[in-house]
Amino acid sequence: DDVKSHVQYQVPVPMKGTTKFLDAWIPETRVLIEHKSRGVNLDAPQAGHGGLTPYDQAVEYDNARPFDEKARWIVTCNFDEFRIYDRAKPLAPPLTLKLGNLPKEAYRLAFLVNPKEKAIDRELEISVQAGRIVGEIYDALLGQYDNVANVKMLPKPNSNNQLGIGNIGTGNISTFSHSYMCVRLVFCLYAEDADIFPKDCFRRLLEATPAPFLRERLLRLFQTLDTPTDKRNPYLDAELCAFPYTNGGLFHNAAESDIPPITDDLRQLLIGASQFDWREITPTIFGALFESTLNPVTRRSGGMVYTSVENIHKVIDPLFLNDLTRRVNECVAMPPSPSRNRRLLALQTEMASKTFLDPACLGISIKVSIAQFYGIEINDFAARVARIALWIAEAQMRRETAEILHREPDYLPLTDYDNIIEGNALRMDWGEILAQRRRGAEIYVIGNPPFRGLSYRTDDQAADMDFVYEDWKDTNYGKLDYVCAWYKKAVDCVKGARCAFVSTNSICQGECVAAMWEPLFNRAAVEIDFAHLPFRWDNEAFDKAHVHCVIVGFHAGLSPSPATEKIIFDGDRIIRAANIDGYLLDAPNIFIRNRGNPPAGFQKLTQGSKPWDGGNLILSPEERAALVSAYPDCDSFIKQYLGAEDLIKGKIRYCLWLLNVSPARYRNILEIMRRLAAVAEIRRKTKTVAVQKQADTPYLFSQIRQPDTDYLCVPEVSSEERRYIPIGFLSKDVIAANTVMTMSNATPCLFGMMSSKAHTAWVRTIAGRLESRYRYTPSVYNNFPWPDLCASASLREKISSTAQGILDARAAHPDCTLADLYDPLTMPPDLRAAHEANDRAVLAAYGLAPDTPEPEIVAHLFKLYADKVKKA
């Protein structure tokens, strides 16, 4: 096939009254190529192109082209290097290929010719494979330690002895020895591939040593690595002499008790691991390697969720890296001169003075002296992984510097840094840890604190919260997630620092907003500088934790307040804000309070009835049919039973509804009496005193709130993917479960308001979430700023009419569930049109145009809410 026939060259692009030409375009795979001369810096602004970098120039071309000709990939090149930008991942750094390496890495260019192929992210590929290898080594070692009784243990590290070197005691298996052994082996695997050790020396040692002797051989190796060359035994064999002095404390005081018996299977596993190419492993994936060694229960108990390269950049780029990159590029683009050199040296000095603290660390990979990086980690294995991650970062930094200076890198001996401290970050004074660096240093506090929801906090974690909030006891901190304590700790310990934390999305939703952010804003003068709106967390671990997160960058105590613009990142969209509030909106700092009742004149929204029955009062259609067949009189007190999932997915269930039913009608039905006995037993055994008393009335639901009229029904939890919350109208004979909210005597106008884009925008902003799904509560409804419908009968009639249009459109699809109807991909055109008509009517009631964007709708609703609060 003729390759040239698939590529278009010098493609005209009409721009601002003129025509420019992009270098190459591949229509089939949507690849836009911008080519520069050899020697041109692909990252620097170009004087002849308005100060744009080659990539920015390509983006400018792409933005000017029609929608169906937008690029999926942008490639910039200069005959020596290629930069590949994946437009589907706008926050990810580009993939860089060197021309000299192209024969080995040509597979990465598969996206040029195959539209189904993606440019392979080598870091991700390696991280997944390395994670599996580390996990296998970890498990195999653990199995060997578990087989040995009364193994001598090393003590856990303390403030005076960070690497745990000290007295040796006896006891059961030491998790510390296990984790340390794993980290030592991983470093050896990396070192021989990264030219820190002689090539293949560790692999040859493994292959040459039979399993029964490998334990002793590894001990001798570790002791050799910890001994300077001039102090080694002169009779040490040549194989061990080949290994250089490593230092750094990693192999210090290696003892026989550290190493378990090595089976032939474990030996073969290590040999196989030595054949893997560890050279391209990066410190940013070490968290994923650690996570891969933990089972989901262990991970959840600690709230551990580790960070991908892309997500690390979401934190550090807007915090400091974008500004540094811009300033470096500006200097590099200047013509050579003494002034340019002075500016570059000043930038180098500034970068060397910055201090970085991660109080929930697993290492980061910025190419600066690692003495500038501090971390606190409560897990001993994680602390060890963080240290080795920093050593690897240092080795890679030295290698890149050596390439620039054309000299051999000086990797060893490792520097023994004590900056990664094992301990509970919430019980430590971060200011003391940073004291030696604080003189004139600009401090950045960054991290991914543990994700631990209110319902899952341990007693120790609750005590940590009490400790951190000791001086704010009058706040409602008891309802906050564990991660919130890191924000309070940051403003307490390192005033003047710029901070950015990855957090659960709960901190910007529901009750948490006022409880967390109001005291931070009002007492600590916190300002939010940037925020990433909720997104699904992802990382390089092969057993990924699935959570939904936000990233919040903030500062406190900076005087004067920095004049940098505030930015909200909403996926690919960038919003420049005047102020970022606790809901992560461009809005004043307004807090929605819990409100027990709706405004005057509005019906009350109530949770449905709760059975507390262990499922014994609930019947499937088959169970109902069997009972009614045997006892026809049962039909009158077996009612349809409906929860959120039943409402949305069209499931059918029934319940025994024995309120005001004479016992004579069911006491002789064995199946019913068996079920009631089971309910009574379950209630007696519960810890809730009020429910224990209800064991005397097992025939009744524990909490009865059934409307006595037909009612409006709102699911408590609904998917965030839907444009509208599916709300239903139900008969009073359908028993509402406690997973739905009910409203008696609801008008069509009220249904139309609650089914609108405006109301959904309010829910999306202030409601709590279950994972990422909306959690609707009476407080969401009670605080909604309703328009003044009383002032216009015509508006009420219009919304009532459009609401009926929604119900009519639903009725036109009797074979569909609400899940079918409200899936964004399958929503019928007539139902979509009915909702859009209803949206226009509701927005008109607020005085808003039909095309008002959602952020502006929310801002308008917040203003109405604030005005009503002031008047109250």
Side-chain angles (χ1 to χ4, degrees):
D1 197 359
D2 181 8
V3 173
K4 292 183 179 179
S5 67
H6 296 275
V7 183
Q8 299 174 6
Y9 298 97
Q10 292 298 299
V11 179
V13 182
M15 295 177 64
K16 300 176 184 177
T18 185
T19 299
K20 296 187 178 182
F21 297 86
L22 63 85
D23 291 332
W25 169 249
I26 307 176
E28 293 169 75
T29 50
R30 295 165 55 205
V31 179
L32 190 157
I33 301 170
E34 182 61 29
H35 215 302
K36 298 298 171 186
S37 301
R38 175 168 276 122
V40 171
N41 186 339
L42 295 177
D43 299 316
Q46 308 167 94
H49 294 276
L52 298 177
T53 66
Y55 172 70
D56 291 335
Q57 180 186 348
V59 170
E60 186 178 55
Y61 291 159
D62 192 47
N63 290 341
R65 285 159 59 82
F67 181 79
D68 58 353
E69 294 180 5
K70 297 292 185 188
R72 171 64 172 81
W73 308 92
I74 288 179
V75 179
T76 62
C77 53
N78 63 3
F79 288 99
D80 290 319
E81 290 184 336
F82 301 84
R83 298 274 201 279
I84 300 170
Y85 297 84
D86 184 349
R87 297 281 276 169
K89 298 178 180 178
L91 296 173
L95 175 67
T96 298
L97 300 181
K98 294 183 182 293
L99 187 64
N101 294 337
L102 201 55
K104 294 181 180 179
E105 300 186 299
Y107 66 90
R108 297 197 191 190
L109 301 178
F111 70 96
L112 291 171
V113 294
N114 186 348
K116 294 183 179 180
E117 290 287 334
K118 295 182 177 180
I120 297 177
D121 184 340
R122 185 65 177 165
E123 284 184 349
L124 177 59
E125 179 185 336
I126 285 180
S127 70
V128 172
Q129 295 178 30
R132 292 185 185 278
I133 292 171
V134 173
E136 290 173 1
I137 293 173
Y138 185 97
D139 290 340
L141 287 171
L142 183 60
Q144 287 306 103
Y145 280 112
D146 285 344
N147 289 333
V148 180
N150 297 318
V151 177
K152 290 183 178 180
M153 293 194 303
L154 288 173
K156 288 177 69 64
N158 54 54
S159 58
N160 299 318
N161 183 10
Q162 290 301 323
L163 290 172
I165 310 306
N167 297 327
I168 297 176
T170 59
N172 294 326
I173 171 61
S174 168
T175 302
F176 175 68
S177 296
H178 173 210
S179 64
Y180 219 168
M181 178 67 177
C182 192
V183 171
R184 284 168 167 166
L185 290 172
V186 170
F187 181 82
C188 290
L189 292 166
Y190 170 79
E192 72 170 358
D193 282 344
D195 299 325
I196 297 174
F197 290 174
K199 184 173 177 58
D200 294 333
C201 63
F202 185 58
R203 178 175 60 83
R204 287 196 299 268
L205 181 146
L206 295 171
E207 291 176 339
T209 310
F213 305 101
L214 188 53
R215 182 172 182 242
E216 175 68 19
R217 196 64 170 162
L218 288 174
L219 174 61
R220 296 290 167 256
L221 171 63
F222 295 165
Q223 292 172 341
T224 300
L225 290 169
D226 190 46
T227 305
T229 304
D230 60 350
K231 294 182 179 179
R232 290 179 179 176
N233 186 327
Y235 302 108
L236 190 69
D237 63 73
E239 189 175 46
L240 290 178
C241 278
F243 287 88
Y245 172 50
T246 302
N247 195 22
L250 180 59
F251 298 98
H252 191 48
N253 276 16
E256 188 176 357
S257 60
D258 296 346
I259 306 175
I262 307 295
T263 64
D264 192 58
D265 286 344
L266 178 53
R267 173 178 172 270
Q268 290 300 325
L269 177 61
L270 292 173
I271 291 173
S274 71
Q275 294 167 350
F276 180 77
D277 186 358
W278 296 83
R279 181 177 42 196
E280 294 184 61
I281 195 170
T282 64
T284 51
I285 69 170
F286 255 66
L289 300 187
F290 172 51
E291 182 181 2
S292 298
T293 67
L294 303 177
N295 63 47
V297 174
T298 305
R299 183 195 310 132
R300 195 176 303 115
S301 66
M304 300 177 231
V305 182
Y306 292 98
T307 318
S308 68
V309 175
E310 182 178 357
N311 286 330
I312 284 174
H313 279 281
K314 288 179 182 177
V315 176
I316 65 175
D317 285 4
L319 186 64
F320 65 87
L321 195 58
N322 283 340
D323 180 61
L324 281 178
T325 302
R326 176 186 59 78
R327 292 162 63 195
V328 169
N329 286 339
E330 287 175 355
C331 287
V332 171
M334 294 172 63
S337 68
S339 173
R340 175 180 182 265
N341 292 342
R342 284 194 298 271
R343 287 184 61 179
L344 285 170
L345 286 172
L347 267 174
Q348 185 182 38
T349 301
E350 179 186 337
M351 285 188 278
S353 72
K354 293 180 182 294
T355 299
F356 302 86
L357 169 66
D358 183 347
C361 72
L362 212 65
I364 52 179
S365 62
I366 312 302
K367 300 293 192 293
V368 185
S369 167
I370 65 173
Q372 296 170 240
F373 293 88
Y374 293 75
I376 307 170
E377 173 55 57
I378 197 169
N379 182 285
D380 64 340
F381 185 25
R384 248 148 290 289
V385 172
R387 291 189 189 101
I388 193 175
L390 287 175
W391 280 324
I392 289 175
E394 185 175 45
Q396 293 175 336
M397 175 183 69
R398 290 179 176 180
R399 183 174 62 192
E400 292 196 10
T401 304
E403 288 177 0
I404 295 171
L405 300 178
H406 303 290
R407 70 185 186 197
E408 286 298 312
D410 184 16
Y411 295 121
L412 297 174
L414 299 177
T415 304
D416 191 356
Y417 295 107
D418 290 334
N419 298 358
I420 305 300
I421 299 170
E422 184 184 337
N424 185 336
L426 295 182
R427 300 282 181 159
M428 294 181 171
D429 187 331
W430 303 354
E432 287 186 6
I433 294 170
L434 297 173
Q436 60 180 315
R437 294 287 308 179
R438 293 201 64 171
R439 291 183 294 275
E442 196 168 12
I443 298 172
Y444 297 91
V445 181
I446 54 182
N448 179 9
F451 296 173
R452 198 72 175 155
L454 170 62
S455 303
Y456 300 98
R457 282 208 310 256
T458 65
D459 291 342
D460 287 344
Q461 290 167 340
D464 288 343
M465 297 282 285
D466 292 337
F467 179 82
V468 172
Y469 283 91
E470 172 67 26
D471 58 334
W472 285 7
K473 282 186 175 180
D474 58 321
T475 65
N476 201 16
Y477 75 87
K479 293 190 174 182
L480 298 178
D481 285 355
Y482 192 48
V483 69
C484 299
W486 266 258
Y487 288 78
K488 171 66 163 58
K489 192 74 175 181
V491 301
D492 284 347
C493 293
V494 280
K495 288 183 173 62
R498 293 179 180 273
C499 311
F501 291 142
V502 180
S503 309
T504 44
N505 59 0
S506 62
I507 71 166
C508 62
Q509 297 163 352
E511 295 180 81
C512 189
V513 176
M516 175 183 173
W517 288 106
E518 186 171 22
L520 285 174
F521 289 158
N522 296 341
R523 301 186 188 189
V526 164
E527 291 184 37
I528 298 177
D529 300 315
F530 68 90
H532 283 268
L533 297 184
F535 61 96
R536 180 163 172 158
W537 189 249
D538 210 354
N539 60 29
E540 282 85 4
F542 59 85
D543 179 17
K544 295 180 181 179
H546 299 301
V547 292
H548 291 78
C549 299
V550 295
I551 295 173
V552 180
F554 64 99
H555 73 268
L558 287 177
S559 182
S561 180
T564 54
E565 63 179 353
K566 300 179 184 298
I567 297 177
I568 300 170
F569 298 92
D570 183 8
D572 296 342
R573 195 163 66 104
I574 294 177
I575 303 167
R576 287 172 171 80
N579 181 71
I580 302 177
D581 72 356
Y583 297 93
L584 307 187
L585 297 171
D586 180 8
N589 295 329
I590 298 170
F591 302 99
I592 309 301
R593 309 291 179 188
N594 275 340
R595 185 173 178 175
N597 292 295
F602 284 82
Q603 292 84 347
K604 189 172 183 178
L605 193 69
T606 307
Q607 189 178 38
S609 300
K610 185 172 184 176
W612 207 307
D613 65 329
N616 288 286
L617 295 177
I618 313 304
L619 291 82
S620 67
E622 294 76 17
E623 290 169 332
R624 173 194 174 275
L627 265 178
V628 171
S629 176
Y631 305 96
D633 187 46
C634 289
D635 189 45
S636 62
F637 53 77
I638 297 179
K639 306 282 189 179
Q640 185 177 348
Y641 178 71
L642 183 139
E645 191 170 358
D646 308 304
L647 172 70
I648 295 172
K649 296 184 178 179
K651 294 183 177 180
I652 303 296
R653 291 189 295 166
Y654 296 89
C655 69
L656 294 171
W657 190 252
L658 300 173
L659 181 66
N660 298 325
V661 176
S662 170
R665 298 178 60 189
Y666 59 80
R667 194 178 67 82
N668 293 320
I669 301 176
L670 292 179
E671 174 60 15
I672 291 179
M673 295 306 292
R674 181 192 66 78
R675 288 172 176 264
L676 298 187
V679 173
E681 183 66 14
I682 286 169
R683 292 180 181 177
R684 281 192 203 99
K685 291 181 178 179
T686 188
K687 294 180 180 180
T688 306
V689 175
V691 176
Q692 291 173 6
K693 295 178 179 178
Q694 292 170 351
D696 295 337
T697 55
Y699 48 88
L700 297 179
F701 274 41
S702 174
Q703 298 168 8
I704 299 176
R705 308 185 191 93
Q706 180 63 15
D708 55 7
T709 68
D710 291 350
Y711 59 93
L712 181 148
C713 181
V714 184
E716 182 182 50
V717 176
S718 178
S719 169
E720 79 284 0
E721 298 293 337
R722 301 186 181 107
R723 293 178 61 184
Y724 307 95
I725 296 175
I727 299 174
F729 271 118
L730 299 179
S731 163
K732 64 181 180 181
D733 291 325
V734 176
I735 306 302
N738 60 299
T739 57
V740 295
M741 304 290 163
T742 68
M743 183 189 300
S744 299
N745 301 311
T747 63
C749 181
L750 191 59
F751 169 77
M753 288 293 307
M754 295 178 67
S755 299
S756 69
K757 175 182 177 180
H759 188 69
T760 305
W762 176 260
V763 173
R764 238 194 299 271
T765 303
I766 75 155
R769 301 283 180 114
L770 181 63
E771 295 169 340
S772 61
R773 293 170 289 166
Y774 309 132
R775 186 190 287 275
Y776 200 100
T777 64
S779 179
V780 174
Y781 166 80
N782 294 341
N783 285 291
F784 183 61
W786 305 94
D788 187 5
L789 295 175
C790 297
S792 174
S794 62
L795 278 175
R796 293 196 305 274
E797 292 171 3
K798 178 63 176 175
I799 295 173
S800 297
S801 174
T802 56
Q804 187 59 51
I806 292 173
L807 296 173
D808 291 344
R810 289 183 186 177
H813 304 277
D815 58 331
C816 292
T817 65
L818 290 179
D820 299 329
L821 295 175
Y822 283 90
D823 186 316
L825 299 177
T826 61
M827 192 175 194
D830 56 340
L831 180 58
R832 189 182 298 274
H835 268 286
E836 289 171 352
N838 185 67
D839 288 340
R840 289 192 293 272
V842 171
L843 289 175
Y846 284 106
L848 297 175
D851 59 349
T852 303
E854 184 169 306
E856 292 182 26
I857 294 173
V858 173
H860 183 79
L861 295 175
F862 265 62
K863 183 178 184 301
L864 288 179
Y865 176 84
D867 291 343
K868 291 183 178 182
V869 169
K870 289 178 183 177
K871 293 177 182 177

